[in-house]
Amino acid sequence: TKDVFTEKEIISLAGKAGVSSGAIQETNESLVDDNLVTCGKIGGSKYYWSFPAKADRDQLNKLEDLKKKVELGKRRLESSKNELAEVRVGREENEDGDRAKKLQ
């Protein structure tokens, strides 16, 4: 939802639903650690929120990072293929099936 909750509000709502406060605190910490919920401390209170746009933006950023890694991998592969082709020059097999040794 687009609501912001204080830690006390979350514990109160969970208590009405029959969930212990210890479990709620552990769950909130886990959600914050996984970047599914954002936590901010203002004054003496902790506020928790999770907006849908942030999750979308995080997914787009992850997608862009993966695209960059794929492009880098393609460039490295092409570079390696070029280096291999250069090394193979002069080492082709002759008609007897023997490989010529590269002169140094």
Side-chain angles (χ1 to χ4, degrees):
T1 67
K2 296 181 180 180
D3 295 327
V4 176
F5 297 95
T6 64
E7 189 172 31
K8 290 179 184 179
E9 290 173 331
I10 294 173
I11 292 172
S12 172
L13 291 170
K16 291 178 185 176
V19 180
S20 70
S21 64
I24 291 301
Q25 290 175 341
E26 288 178 22
T27 303
N28 279 343
E29 288 176 22
S30 176
L31 291 171
V32 170
D33 291 343
D34 294 339
N35 290 322
L36 297 173
V37 172
T38 305
C39 177
K41 188 169 183 179
I42 302 173
S45 301
K46 285 185 178 179
Y47 292 88
Y48 295 91
W49 65 91
S50 178
F51 298 134
K54 181 183 182 297
D56 293 343
R57 187 179 61 237
D58 289 344
Q59 288 293 323
L60 287 174
N61 288 341
K62 186 175 181 179
L63 177 64
E64 289 300 317
D65 288 343
L66 290 173
K67 284 181 179 180
K68 288 177 185 177
K69 287 181 180 180
V70 167
E71 188 59 37
L72 177 63
K74 286 180 180 179
R75 286 193 304 246
R76 290 177 66 190
L77 176 63
E78 191 62 33
S79 174
S80 295
K81 284 181 180 180
N82 290 339
E83 287 179 27
L84 181 60
E86 289 175 12
V87 170
R88 286 186 174 172
V89 171
R91 296 195 61 157
E92 296 84 9
E93 291 184 6
N94 60 17
E95 52 276 348
D96 296 333
D98 294 332
R99 264 197 177 155
K101 301 254 191 251
K102 189 169 183 177
L103 297 175
Q104 295 178 352

